[in-house]
Every structure is written in C-alpha cells, then in structure tokens.
Amino acid sequence: MHGYSRLGGAARSPPSSPRFRHGRSKSSSSSKEGSSMERLLFILMSAVFRRRGLLLFAPLLYISGMLLYMGSLSFDVVSIKNGVVVVHKRAPPGSVYRSPQLFQKLLPFMEAEAANANRTVNVLMKAWTRNELREWKPCANRSVPQTALPKSNGFLIIEANGGLNQQRLSICDAVAVAGLLNATLFIPIFHLNSVWRDSSNFGDIFDENFFIQSLGNRVHVVRELPDDILQRYDNNISNIVNLRVKGWSSSAHYLQKVLPQLLEMRAVRIAPFSNRLAQAVPSKIQGLRCFANFGALRFSEPIRTLAERMVDRMVKYSSQSGGKYVSVHLRFEEDMVAFSCCEYDGGEEEKREMDIARERSWRGKFRRRHKIIKPGANRVDGKCPLTPLEVGMMLRGMGFDNTTSVYVAAGKIYKEQKYMAPLMQMFPRLQTKNTLATPEELAQFMGHSSRLAALDYTVCLHSEVFVTTQGGNFPHFLMGHRRYINGGHAKTIKPDKRRLALLFDNPNIRWEVFKQQMKDMLRHSDQKGTELKKAGGSLYNFPMPDCMCKHVEPRSENRNTTKHMKL
C-alpha cells in the first residue's frame, strides 16, 4: 500500500611544509637549551649547599634561578618555611570569581558618572543602529489556498519534554513532520520533567482552539483519537508502538521508515520528540515550522491577559525613557549554578549546597567515574552563569544609567538576597514578575514553571533591549521571535563571556577602559543582530530567510532625486 506524501577514499595528507619542519627543529633546539640551563642551575645549587655560610641565601638563589628559567610562566612564591620554598602555580587569568572586588573599586566611578550624567540622553534610545538594512518583513502567516487536505495517512502522537521552549520546539517540529507524512497530529502530550516539575497540559500553556483552527488548512489536528484506534490499543495511548526516532532525523528517514509503519498501524508514537527533526528540510516543511511557531502558537488566554498587563505596566514605569526598558534573562537559579559546576564566593557552604543540588536533580551524573569537575576551566571558557552583579556592571559599562528600567526574567535566584542586592543598587528601577504583578494575579500560575516562564517570555519579547546571559532554549526562541517582530534585528545583547571573565578578574582595570570594552561588546551585538540563518542553523533563532521576506521599496525618480540632493 502506498501513502500520500506532500513532497513530490581517505584524503592524502599534504607534504609537510619546510617552514613547519624548521619550526619543529627550532623547538627541539630550544628544549636542548632548556636542559642545559637545568644542568647549570643544578651545578650552582650544589656549590652553594657545600658552603654552609651561604645556606641562608639558598632559597633566594633558588627563586632567582626559577624566575630566570621560567619567567614566562605564571608562578607565585607563597612562603619560605624552615628553609623550604613553597611555590604554587598562579590561577590562570579569568579562572577565579573576583567580580565583587572589582565592583567595589568601580562603584565610586559609576556613582560619580551618574551624578553628572546628562539625563536628556538615554542609551536606550540609541542602543541599536537605525539603518535601511531592516528590509525583512514577517511572511510566515502567508495564506494558503482554501483547499481540502488529502485523506490522512494515520495519527501521529508525540511527547514534548523539557521546559516551555523545548516543548515549543517539539510542537513546531511535530507540525512539520505531520505535514511531511500527511498525518493527523494528536495534540502534543507534555511529559512531566524531573527538573521543571510542571504538570501543565498543552491547553494550560497554549491556546488549543487557536492552534487547531490556525492549522486547519495546513495540517490535521485533533484533541482525541477516534474510538476504533483507541479500541485497537485497549484504550491506552502508551500501547501504541513507540518508534524511537533518532535525534535530527532527515525528512527522508521519516518517509522511508516512519510512513510505512504509519500506514500499516494507522497510529504511531514518538517519545521523546525533542530535536527529532533535522534543521535542513524541504522549504514547504520549513514553512510549516515557521507558521507553527509564529502563527499558530500563542499563549493561553489567562497567560496572555496577565502578560499584556505586565507589559503595559513596564511601559508606563519606563515613561522617562519613552516607554523603553531592558529585559534580562538571568540564569542564576540553584540548579543552573549546580549544573555549570562553577564556583563563586560561597566557600565550603556553597560547594556542599551544589553537591546536594546536583545529586537531587541529576542523580549520580556528576559522580561518575572519570568525571572531572574543573570550575576554573569552565569560567575561562565562558561557561559560568553571570551573576546579577556581573550583569549590572556590564550594563552600566555599556552606558545604561541608574534611571534605566530593568525587567529580570528568572526563576528563584540562588541566595537571592545576597546576589541581587548589587544589581538593585546599580538599577533601583528593577522589576520582576513578583513585583510587576500582584500575588493574587500570580496565584493561578504558582507551582507551574512553564506558565511563569511564559509571562517572562512576553515581557522580554516587547523590551527595547534583551540581555541573554547563559544560552538555552529561552533566548534561542526569544531572539528569533524578536527578529521576527523587529524587522530582522534581534535587539539582543549577547555578551562574550570569555572576554568578560578576563575583565572581571582584572583588579587594575580603569573605569574608562572597562566602559570602552563594554561598548565594543554592545556594538558587536548590534552588528550580529541581523544575522541570516546559515547552513545547519535553526530558523527558530534565525527566521530569515525561511520565515521572513525581504521587502524592497519601489524607487521612484522623485525619491532618487531627493536622495541625490541630500547628498
């Protein structure tokens, strides 16, 4: 039986370069020179130790020899005890959390600058370049012919796991796969995640009626399976065969492996479904992804109502900056700090709390054999979550002064009172969902992390500046959504955390130098804001050109003449 688908020797190494061979011989000769120096030092030290009168100077001579021989390496002399020199290797630059010390040094300069600032100039009004490159317009919602869909090949059941935006990813990919297979999509089932611990169903987070109606002439979607299918599997969806599709499977895999089973069994299940469809698929299937994300998915009415209120309040609260505000996705919750395996300034108490948190959420993952935790290396590599203090220093360095309205999107911050205090000191006009909404308004969402994240998502979506601090699905989807509604520009600060680690670990840096570094980082984020999707990239993060169309205004003779006159 044939189902209907909607898609019509090892390389030789080049000969080594004489230049590289010469370089290796130089390296060899330098190592010989090093060994000669070692022998010379040994002879000198032996001579010194034969003369008892010079024993007192032995440590000093030893240190001098070490400095001569290894002066290019970072070594510190800690102490001399009983004639023994204790030498420790200095921590590599950027590997230790010293941001609080730097903050204490730079704070007076921040305060002095704020006192003398010209309040008529706000960096929020000029954070992003206003140029003519913003020619991209949303086109994911383009209408399709009002023709009846072909007869369905069967039912596709998927299980969306993870948090809010990982679920969003699964839903949009499921719509694409259903279109590819000409299958009827059963409203996605949400898996209860051990980390997120949210029991919400699809309709608690997204507008189910709108989703079904919007996809009406693109993909079949149903809330319930027909009786004959349920009876075939003893009225238990879990009895439907789970195909266990590999991650990033191609459209060809679905057509060759999944479609035949769908036709035979009339219903198939794929669980889990996160990242089960390749980024590169035919344009028609990409179009379904675009429409699902930007056209068919909207939050449920209770979430939408409160989120819109919160945006309105944030805009009014930011009246002195023209209703514009900064939003920050702050990933400094306990589980994120624990998962990062980074160290801050909490000492042994922090280490103990992080060990408990890791064991609670990931049961033994970090205690496996050969698992080595290297906090310093993680920090140098830019993998540590930025603290609220570091985010504040970065923003002040970029020119956002203490009158800037800031919205912080986050879960429960680790040691909130300690770590949030400096950020609030730098930005007194700081808001969170807990301050922007009343306890009564939030009551229906408490205990449901995905619904609370949906509130944060909406407030961040409509900010003038969005700051991402740790990656993940939240900023991945949000940056793409912001590009979609802002003419192709993400309007997002994505800091270089490797560079920040070095700057925050430099106690001698001057305020003017620090500011220049931060402004360069803001300028770089502006330049990268209008990136197009590259091969293998995600349209959820880079919607151009799959989900957006380039808009070129007609150029009339009058307009050209005017332009010429201005020049």
Side-chain angles (χ1 to χ4, degrees):
M1 182 166 63
H2 299 284
Y4 176 89
S5 167
R6 277 184 260 166
L7 279 185
R12 264 182 133 178
S13 299
S16 60
S17 164
R19 185 158 55 109
F20 291 140
R21 288 200 295 270
H22 177 67
R24 286 197 291 270
S25 65
K26 275 181 75 176
S27 173
S28 174
S29 65
S30 66
S31 65
K32 288 178 182 175
E33 289 172 9
S35 60
S36 300
M37 182 66 76
E38 282 181 337
R39 285 196 294 273
L40 179 60
L41 282 171
F42 178 79
I43 294 167
L44 284 171
M45 294 304 293
S46 299
V48 167
F49 276 94
R50 287 196 200 102
R51 309 291 294 236
R52 292 185 182 181
L54 295 177
L55 270 177
L56 293 173
F57 297 97
L60 184 60
L61 289 170
Y62 178 76
I63 295 166
S64 302
M66 290 289 283
L67 290 174
L68 284 170
Y69 176 53
M70 292 181 289
S72 61
L73 301 178
S74 298
F75 276 76
D76 281 340
V77 178
V78 177
S79 62
I80 302 175
K81 293 182 180 179
N82 301 322
V84 179
V85 181
V86 182
V87 182
H88 290 287
K89 191 176 185 303
R90 182 183 301 154
S95 64
V96 180
Y97 178 67
R98 294 193 180 98
S99 301
Q101 293 90 319
L102 181 62
F103 174 61
Q104 291 304 321
K105 178 189 172 180
L106 297 183
L107 181 60
F109 298 97
M110 293 183 203
E111 291 176 337
E113 193 172 83
N116 300 320
N118 179 4
R119 300 300 186 191
T120 60
V121 180
N122 194 310
V123 74
L124 264 175
M125 311 302 287
K126 56 177 184 176
W128 313 116
T129 52
R130 301 287 190 267
N131 53 39
E132 295 182 354
L133 296 177
R134 311 260 180 98
E135 298 169 342
W136 293 93
K137 305 294 179 187
C139 57
N141 292 349
R142 281 179 296 193
S143 59
V144 295
Q146 297 291 325
T147 56
L149 290 170
K151 183 181 177 182
S152 173
N153 289 328
F155 294 89
L156 173 66
I157 297 106
I158 67 103
E159 192 173 286
N161 55 317
L164 172 69
N165 290 286
Q166 194 169 342
Q167 290 169 338
R168 190 182 193 106
L169 169 67
S170 297
I171 295 165
C172 297
D173 281 359
V175 169
V177 170
L180 174 67
L181 302 178
N182 187 42
T184 298
L185 178 64
F186 180 71
I187 283 287
I189 300 165
F190 284 2
H191 172 70
L192 182 61
N193 185 276
S194 60
V195 176
W196 289 89
R197 303 183 188 92
D198 189 338
S199 59
S200 299
N201 296 318
F202 184 99
D204 297 320
I205 299 173
F206 298 105
D207 189 329
E208 198 170 286
N209 288 332
F210 183 79
F211 181 72
I212 295 171
Q213 291 168 9
S214 298
L215 289 167
N217 59 342
R218 288 177 169 89
V219 172
H220 293 286
V221 185
V222 295
R223 290 188 181 86
E224 296 178 352
L225 295 176
D227 290 339
D228 61 324
I229 297 292
L230 286 171
Q231 288 169 10
R232 187 173 182 176
Y233 295 100
D234 297 328
N235 294 303
N236 188 346
I237 288 178
S238 61
N239 287 337
I240 297 174
V241 64
N242 187 1
L243 298 185
R244 296 285 181 184
V245 174
K246 291 182 179 179
W248 310 111
S249 290
S250 67
S251 53
H253 175 85
Y254 280 96
L255 291 172
Q256 293 165 12
K257 302 294 183 182
V258 178
L259 181 58
Q261 296 200 56
L262 177 67
L263 290 166
E264 180 185 345
M265 296 181 289
R266 298 186 58 201
V268 294
R269 185 165 59 95
I270 305 175
F273 189 73
S274 182
N275 298 317
R276 290 303 185 270
L277 179 62
Q279 300 286 9
V281 295
S283 59
K284 186 174 182 180
I285 305 307
Q286 290 288 47
L288 285 173
R289 270 176 160 163
C290 291
F291 183 75
N293 189 43
F294 299 115
L297 274 183
R298 73 179 186 187
F299 292 125
S300 62
E301 194 274 335
I303 292 173
R304 220 165 53 248
T305 300
L306 178 56
E308 288 169 2
R309 270 191 230 143
M310 291 168 67
V311 171
D312 288 343
R313 290 168 190 171
M314 202 66 207
V315 169
K316 289 175 184 174
Y317 195 67
S318 313
S319 58
Q320 67 182 91
S321 54
K324 299 180 186 295
Y325 59 92
V326 175
S327 64
V328 179
H329 184 223
L330 190 58
R331 292 311 315 269
F332 205 70
E333 303 92 345
E334 184 179 67
D335 66 322
M336 180 53 68
V337 176
F339 188 79
S340 72
C341 296
C342 295
E343 290 180 356
Y344 293 88
D345 56 351
E348 290 302 318
E349 180 185 358
E350 177 190 305
K351 289 180 184 177
R352 186 171 58 255
E353 289 173 346
M354 293 302 102
D355 285 341
I356 293 170
R358 281 190 282 267
E359 189 60 26
R360 181 177 60 244
S361 296
W362 294 282
R363 291 192 181 88
K365 176 177 179 177
F366 294 90
R367 292 188 291 103
R368 287 176 189 162
R369 196 175 175 186
H370 307 306
K371 177 74 176 179
I372 301 173
I373 294 176
K374 297 181 178 179
N378 289 346
R379 185 169 296 282
V380 170
D381 203 26
K383 294 179 180 177
C384 292
L386 293 180
T387 62
L389 179 147
E390 290 171 328
V391 172
M393 283 199 292
M394 178 184 74
L395 288 174
R396 288 296 291 268
M398 288 177 175
F400 298 94
D401 63 27
N402 60 356
T403 66
T404 305
S405 296
V406 176
Y407 180 84
V408 172
K412 182 173 174 52
I413 298 297
Y414 174 61
K415 292 192 180 294
E416 183 173 357
Q417 190 170 0
K418 170 187 173 181
Y419 284 108
M420 286 297 289
L423 179 59
M424 296 181 74
Q425 182 180 357
M426 287 182 273
F427 293 97
R429 301 177 67 80
L430 184 145
Q431 298 285 335
T432 67
K433 56 181 165 288
N434 294 315
T435 60
L436 210 54
T438 66
E440 292 74 24
E441 288 174 321
L442 290 173
Q444 62 179 315
F445 305 112
M446 299 309 290
H448 299 284
S449 57
S450 291
R451 300 186 214 182
L452 291 169
L455 297 174
D456 280 339
Y457 185 98
T458 307
V459 182
C460 291
L461 179 64
H462 295 287
S463 63
E464 176 64 12
V465 174
F466 171 61
V467 183
T468 173
T469 64
Q470 188 57 20
N473 284 315
F474 186 100
H476 181 88
F477 272 83
L478 191 64
M479 287 174 68
H481 205 155
R482 287 171 64 82
R483 284 187 171 103
Y484 191 77
I485 66 173
N486 289 319
H489 201 298
K491 292 190 173 184
T492 296
I493 296 171
K494 192 175 180 181
D496 181 344
K497 291 169 65 181
R498 290 184 178 134
R499 190 169 159 197
L500 282 178
L502 294 172
L503 294 170
F504 289 144
D505 194 24
N506 183 358
N508 299 316
I509 193 167
R510 292 184 296 111
W511 174 236
E512 292 302 320
V513 174
F514 182 82
K515 280 199 304 180
Q516 187 57 53
Q517 292 283 339
M518 295 303 102
K519 287 176 180 176
D520 287 347
M521 212 171 283
L522 175 60
R523 195 175 303 113
H524 182 72
S525 290
D526 187 18
Q527 292 168 352
K528 300 290 280 184
T530 51
E531 271 189 293
L532 301 184
K533 183 171 75 68
K534 297 173 183 174
S538 165
L539 63 77
Y540 303 122
N541 191 215
F542 301 101
M544 301 105 71
D546 295 293
C547 311
M548 302 184 74
C549 305
K550 200 160 189 178
H551 176 73
V552 181
E553 291 184 9
R555 302 184 68 175
S556 64
E557 288 185 9
N558 291 338
R559 187 180 170 202
N560 292 339
T561 305
T562 305
K563 274 192 161 184
H564 181 71
M565 289 173 65
K566 284 182 180 178
L567 291 171

